[in-house]
Amino acid sequence: MSGERRKFRREGEAARREALISAALDLVAESGPQAATVRAIADRAGVTPGLIRHYFASKGELARAAFRTLMDRLNAISDAAIGDPGMTAEQQLATFVVTSLRPPSVDPEVLTQWAGFIHMIRSDDALRSVHEATYVAYRDRLERLIADLARTNDPARLRAQAIACNAVIDGLWLEGSALPSAFAPDALARIGLASVGAILGVDLFPHAPDDLIQEVDPT
Amino acid sequence: MSGERRKFRREGEAARREALISAALDLVAESGPQAATVRAIADRAGVTPGLIRHYFASKGELARAAFRTLMDRLNAISDAAIGDPGMTAEQQLATFVVTSLRPPSVDPEVLTQWAGFIHMIRSDDALRSVHEATYVAYRDRLERLIADLARTNDPARLRAQAIACNAVIDGLWLEGSALPSAFAPDALARIGLASVGAILGVDLFPHAPDDLIQEVDPT
DNA sequence: CATGTAATTATACAAGCGAATAATTACGGG
DNA sequence: CCCGTAATTATTCGCTTGTATAATTACATG
């Protein structure tokens, strides 16, 4: 009667860690960081709270792993957009910009997750390293795409342009994620193409992905 | 011996509310949202925890008030930069951009505070209204400054330019606040001026504030 | 100087937190 | 088929949390 111990299956370490991390990220996305308690995370992952401490030395270490996973996922989205050898440099850059300014990159839940970890950057060295590495990786990819346009080969100018383009994209990402209802579909992507184009002195619209939603002319 | 009740002074309601709000924001800035407990806030404000409930119906309401205060403070910083009638339109815009990309606007603590409240935007209608109103107010001010340049009077184009310039500024603000050591003094301001200028087709550098730190030429 | 009242403190409570430890059970290697 | 061991659950602990309520005290008003 009383002692019906819960049945379970032994999953691999990798699967369990991933399940716990995803559960934590889900909870942060839905209800903020304070909702991601040890008990809630375990429940969402389909295990009991004790198991968390079996795979992570502390809740903080789970948080670190979750932040790393979040950054990796974000990087992977825009990474997948480039590298097609059949594309011109302009096409690759335009695709990169558009991908960064659409779902699933632009997403209120992703912003909530990101913001939920940001305060740790100040106090946790490991987390700050992940954050810095992610930023630099993104900016460097952008810088390489800009360099391929061969409009300039002044390294300082190239770097400044990469920082500026990165900032436009980040800013538009931020606003689209924080105010999802304020922008029509692909409006952010079009503004991003125009702004990055203006900064670099290139018209990127002819090289944008075919499925880019054009501005509706309300005539 | 035992019952030495703590002495106190009666402050006005306004002063106490402000002290509690500032204490809460300080704690969030220093150690993240989870550090801003009722007890810690009261302690920092020099009162006992019960007083919080005397001025705020719940901790959530204090949080709402704190977010409003934070947004007002941020608005006030960049607001103070414009409105000087002795300045040309270009000077006002340049000053606005530079002010937004320097301390105290760019500040890791401010970013931490902002991020600490962002997750509430999704679930709290009042908070979302404040956030939307703040964004729109900032963007509209920018749009008015751009309109004064008289480069275009197409409303849709004006709006898109304002969104784009807002995004560059926000993105640079974000990166400067999240990675304070990655940028030389006023580097963000210079990149901001260059980018906003490129988007609008104006060279803003001749109109920048006199104290803008010029790029050091390492020749 | 007395008095009422609102600001402030003090105390208590139930719930939830992260962490530690002990008891069980699934499952692969003999 | 059994057995060891590691994965998983169960239980408990000490603390902290937000909130509620009662007791006090500062101060304005007369």
Side-chain angles (χ1 to χ4, degrees), chain A residues 98-116:
Chain A
V98 169
T99 304
S100 298
L101 292 175
R102 272 179 175 167
S105 291
V106 172
D107 177 350
E109 302 205 342
V110 174
L111 172 61
T112 306
Q113 290 171 336
W114 180 84

PDB file of all heavy atoms in Angstrom, chain A residues 98-116:
ATOM      1  N   VAL A  98      19.392  37.436 -42.372  1.00  0.00           N
ATOM      2  CA  VAL A  98      17.958  37.101 -42.331  1.00  0.00           C
ATOM      3  C   VAL A  98      17.695  35.982 -41.324  1.00  0.00           C
ATOM      4  O   VAL A  98      16.739  36.058 -40.537  1.00  0.00           O
ATOM      5  CB  VAL A  98      17.466  36.706 -43.741  1.00  0.00           C
ATOM      6  CG1 VAL A  98      16.071  36.096 -43.665  1.00  0.00           C
ATOM      7  CG2 VAL A  98      17.461  37.916 -44.661  1.00  0.00           C
ATOM      8  N   THR A  99      18.544  34.983 -41.319  1.00  0.00           N
ATOM      9  CA  THR A  99      18.348  33.873 -40.379  1.00  0.00           C
ATOM     10  C   THR A  99      18.427  34.341 -38.934  1.00  0.00           C
ATOM     11  O   THR A  99      17.676  33.874 -38.076  1.00  0.00           O
ATOM     12  CB  THR A  99      19.416  32.787 -40.618  1.00  0.00           C
ATOM     13  OG1 THR A  99      19.353  32.372 -41.971  1.00  0.00           O
ATOM     14  CG2 THR A  99      19.179  31.597 -39.710  1.00  0.00           C
ATOM     15  N   SER A 100      19.327  35.286 -38.689  1.00  0.00           N
ATOM     16  CA  SER A 100      19.489  35.779 -37.321  1.00  0.00           C
ATOM     17  C   SER A 100      18.300  36.610 -36.862  1.00  0.00           C
ATOM     18  O   SER A 100      18.130  36.841 -35.663  1.00  0.00           O
ATOM     19  CB  SER A 100      20.759  36.618 -37.219  1.00  0.00           C
ATOM     20  OG  SER A 100      21.894  35.841 -37.525  1.00  0.00           O
ATOM     21  N   LEU A 101      17.487  37.054 -37.809  1.00  0.00           N
ATOM     22  CA  LEU A 101      16.402  37.969 -37.455  1.00  0.00           C
ATOM     23  C   LEU A 101      15.027  37.356 -37.677  1.00  0.00           C
ATOM     24  O   LEU A 101      14.027  38.064 -37.812  1.00  0.00           O
ATOM     25  CB  LEU A 101      16.548  39.275 -38.249  1.00  0.00           C
ATOM     26  CG  LEU A 101      17.784  40.079 -37.831  1.00  0.00           C
ATOM     27  CD1 LEU A 101      17.982  41.288 -38.707  1.00  0.00           C
ATOM     28  CD2 LEU A 101      17.669  40.496 -36.366  1.00  0.00           C
ATOM     29  N   ARG A 102      14.996  36.035 -37.716  1.00  0.00           N
ATOM     30  CA  ARG A 102      13.745  35.295 -37.831  1.00  0.00           C
ATOM     31  C   ARG A 102      13.665  34.296 -36.698  1.00  0.00           C
ATOM     32  O   ARG A 102      14.680  33.944 -36.114  1.00  0.00           O
ATOM     33  CB  ARG A 102      13.769  34.475 -39.118  1.00  0.00           C
ATOM     34  CG  ARG A 102      13.287  35.146 -40.339  1.00  0.00           C
ATOM     35  CD  ARG A 102      13.442  34.145 -41.471  1.00  0.00           C
ATOM     36  NE  ARG A 102      12.878  34.673 -42.705  1.00  0.00           N
ATOM     37  CZ  ARG A 102      13.088  34.134 -43.896  1.00  0.00           C
ATOM     38  NH1 ARG A 102      13.859  33.065 -44.001  1.00  0.00           N
ATOM     39  NH2 ARG A 102      12.534  34.640 -44.966  1.00  0.00           N
ATOM     40  N   PRO A 103      12.455  33.789 -36.423  1.00  0.00           N
ATOM     41  CA  PRO A 103      12.407  32.602 -35.568  1.00  0.00           C
ATOM     42  C   PRO A 103      13.197  31.478 -36.218  1.00  0.00           C
ATOM     43  O   PRO A 103      13.269  31.439 -37.451  1.00  0.00           O
ATOM     44  CB  PRO A 103      10.917  32.244 -35.514  1.00  0.00           C
ATOM     45  CG  PRO A 103      10.195  33.481 -35.968  1.00  0.00           C
ATOM     46  CD  PRO A 103      11.132  34.210 -36.875  1.00  0.00           C
ATOM     47  N   PRO A 104      13.817  30.585 -35.498  1.00  0.00           N
ATOM     48  CA  PRO A 104      13.749  30.506 -34.040  1.00  0.00           C
ATOM     49  C   PRO A 104      14.790  31.360 -33.317  1.00  0.00           C
ATOM     50  O   PRO A 104      14.844  31.322 -32.096  1.00  0.00           O
ATOM     51  CB  PRO A 104      14.035  29.026 -33.778  1.00  0.00           C
ATOM     52  CG  PRO A 104      14.900  28.605 -34.904  1.00  0.00           C
ATOM     53  CD  PRO A 104      14.542  29.438 -36.083  1.00  0.00           C
ATOM     54  N   SER A 105      15.582  32.138 -34.064  1.00  0.00           N
ATOM     55  CA  SER A 105      16.528  33.025 -33.365  1.00  0.00           C
ATOM     56  C   SER A 105      15.761  34.095 -32.600  1.00  0.00           C
ATOM     57  O   SER A 105      15.961  34.282 -31.400  1.00  0.00           O
ATOM     58  CB  SER A 105      17.471  33.678 -34.364  1.00  0.00           C
ATOM     59  OG  SER A 105      18.350  32.732 -34.921  1.00  0.00           O
ATOM     60  N   VAL A 106      14.915  34.796 -33.314  1.00  0.00           N
ATOM     61  CA  VAL A 106      14.072  35.807 -32.664  1.00  0.00           C
ATOM     62  C   VAL A 106      12.908  35.089 -32.005  1.00  0.00           C
ATOM     63  O   VAL A 106      12.084  34.473 -32.687  1.00  0.00           O
ATOM     64  CB  VAL A 106      13.570  36.842 -33.686  1.00  0.00           C
ATOM     65  CG1 VAL A 106      12.550  37.773 -33.043  1.00  0.00           C
ATOM     66  CG2 VAL A 106      14.732  37.637 -34.251  1.00  0.00           C
ATOM     67  N   ASP A 107      12.861  35.151 -30.704  1.00  0.00           N
ATOM     68  CA  ASP A 107      11.897  34.335 -29.966  1.00  0.00           C
ATOM     69  C   ASP A 107      11.852  34.842 -28.515  1.00  0.00           C
ATOM     70  O   ASP A 107      12.879  34.898 -27.847  1.00  0.00           O
ATOM     71  CB  ASP A 107      12.348  32.879 -29.998  1.00  0.00           C
ATOM     72  CG  ASP A 107      11.429  31.977 -29.190  1.00  0.00           C
ATOM     73  OD1 ASP A 107      10.568  32.494 -28.465  1.00  0.00           O
ATOM     74  OD2 ASP A 107      11.586  30.747 -29.281  1.00  0.00           O
ATOM     75  N   PRO A 108      10.679  35.206 -28.050  1.00  0.00           N
ATOM     76  CA  PRO A 108      10.575  35.723 -26.676  1.00  0.00           C
ATOM     77  C   PRO A 108      11.126  34.748 -25.643  1.00  0.00           C
ATOM     78  O   PRO A 108      11.708  35.172 -24.644  1.00  0.00           O
ATOM     79  CB  PRO A 108       9.063  35.905 -26.487  1.00  0.00           C
ATOM     80  CG  PRO A 108       8.501  36.031 -27.845  1.00  0.00           C
ATOM     81  CD  PRO A 108       9.375  35.210 -28.742  1.00  0.00           C
ATOM     82  N   GLU A 109      10.969  33.470 -25.885  1.00  0.00           N
ATOM     83  CA  GLU A 109      11.453  32.503 -24.899  1.00  0.00           C
ATOM     84  C   GLU A 109      12.970  32.486 -24.840  1.00  0.00           C
ATOM     85  O   GLU A 109      13.556  32.369 -23.761  1.00  0.00           O
ATOM     86  CB  GLU A 109      10.922  31.108 -25.241  1.00  0.00           C
ATOM     87  CG  GLU A 109       9.401  31.045 -25.287  1.00  0.00           C
ATOM     88  CD  GLU A 109       8.887  29.642 -25.017  1.00  0.00           C
ATOM     89  OE1 GLU A 109       9.676  28.684 -25.125  1.00  0.00           O
ATOM     90  OE2 GLU A 109       7.687  29.521 -24.694  1.00  0.00           O
ATOM     91  N   VAL A 110      13.604  32.598 -25.987  1.00  0.00           N
ATOM     92  CA  VAL A 110      15.063  32.613 -26.012  1.00  0.00           C
ATOM     93  C   VAL A 110      15.590  33.853 -25.283  1.00  0.00           C
ATOM     94  O   VAL A 110      16.548  33.777 -24.515  1.00  0.00           O
ATOM     95  CB  VAL A 110      15.582  32.575 -27.461  1.00  0.00           C
ATOM     96  CG1 VAL A 110      17.087  32.748 -27.494  1.00  0.00           C
ATOM     97  CG2 VAL A 110      15.183  31.274 -28.132  1.00  0.00           C
ATOM     98  N   LEU A 111      14.933  34.975 -25.511  1.00  0.00           N
ATOM     99  CA  LEU A 111      15.353  36.194 -24.803  1.00  0.00           C
ATOM    100  C   LEU A 111      15.212  36.010 -23.293  1.00  0.00           C
ATOM    101  O   LEU A 111      16.112  36.391 -22.525  1.00  0.00           O
ATOM    102  CB  LEU A 111      14.513  37.389 -25.263  1.00  0.00           C
ATOM    103  CG  LEU A 111      14.719  38.681 -24.465  1.00  0.00           C
ATOM    104  CD1 LEU A 111      16.155  39.162 -24.560  1.00  0.00           C
ATOM    105  CD2 LEU A 111      13.757  39.768 -24.915  1.00  0.00           C
ATOM    106  N   THR A 112      14.109  35.445 -22.871  1.00  0.00           N
ATOM    107  CA  THR A 112      13.903  35.218 -21.439  1.00  0.00           C
ATOM    108  C   THR A 112      14.983  34.303 -20.876  1.00  0.00           C
ATOM    109  O   THR A 112      15.496  34.540 -19.770  1.00  0.00           O
ATOM    110  CB  THR A 112      12.519  34.595 -21.198  1.00  0.00           C
ATOM    111  OG1 THR A 112      11.521  35.409 -21.811  1.00  0.00           O
ATOM    112  CG2 THR A 112      12.220  34.496 -19.714  1.00  0.00           C
ATOM    113  N   GLN A 113      15.338  33.276 -21.616  1.00  0.00           N
ATOM    114  CA  GLN A 113      16.395  32.377 -21.163  1.00  0.00           C
ATOM    115  C   GLN A 113      17.716  33.130 -21.039  1.00  0.00           C
ATOM    116  O   GLN A 113      18.406  33.055 -20.012  1.00  0.00           O
ATOM    117  CB  GLN A 113      16.545  31.211 -22.141  1.00  0.00           C
ATOM    118  CG  GLN A 113      15.375  30.240 -22.106  1.00  0.00           C
ATOM    119  CD  GLN A 113      15.430  29.225 -23.223  1.00  0.00           C
ATOM    120  OE1 GLN A 113      16.048  29.460 -24.257  1.00  0.00           O
ATOM    121  NE2 GLN A 113      14.768  28.095 -23.035  1.00  0.00           N
ATOM    122  N   TRP A 114      18.049  33.842 -22.088  1.00  0.00           N
ATOM    123  CA  TRP A 114      19.317  34.572 -22.095  1.00  0.00           C
ATOM    124  C   TRP A 114      19.375  35.551 -20.921  1.00  0.00           C
ATOM    125  O   TRP A 114      20.354  35.587 -20.166  1.00  0.00           O
ATOM    126  CB  TRP A 114      19.452  35.305 -23.432  1.00  0.00           C
ATOM    127  CG  TRP A 114      20.711  36.086 -23.574  1.00  0.00           C
ATOM    128  CD1 TRP A 114      21.922  35.611 -23.977  1.00  0.00           C
ATOM    129  CD2 TRP A 114      20.878  37.477 -23.305  1.00  0.00           C
ATOM    130  NE1 TRP A 114      22.839  36.637 -23.977  1.00  0.00           N
ATOM    131  CE2 TRP A 114      22.226  37.786 -23.573  1.00  0.00           C
ATOM    132  CE3 TRP A 114      20.027  38.489 -22.880  1.00  0.00           C
ATOM    133  CZ2 TRP A 114      22.746  39.072 -23.413  1.00  0.00           C
ATOM    134  CZ3 TRP A 114      20.539  39.768 -22.715  1.00  0.00           C
ATOM    135  CH2 TRP A 114      21.884  40.046 -22.989  1.00  0.00           C
ATOM    136  N   ALA A 115      18.309  36.318 -20.757  1.00  0.00           N
ATOM    137  CA  ALA A 115      18.286  37.312 -19.685  1.00  0.00           C
ATOM    138  C   ALA A 115      18.367  36.646 -18.312  1.00  0.00           C
ATOM    139  O   ALA A 115      18.943  37.191 -17.375  1.00  0.00           O
ATOM    140  CB  ALA A 115      17.012  38.160 -19.791  1.00  0.00           C
ATOM    141  N   GLY A 116      17.801  35.460 -18.227  1.00  0.00           N
ATOM    142  CA  GLY A 116      17.794  34.771 -16.946  1.00  0.00           C
ATOM    143  C   GLY A 116      19.170  34.357 -16.466  1.00  0.00           C
ATOM    144  O   GLY A 116      19.361  34.077 -15.266  1.00  0.00           O
TER     145      GLY A 116
END
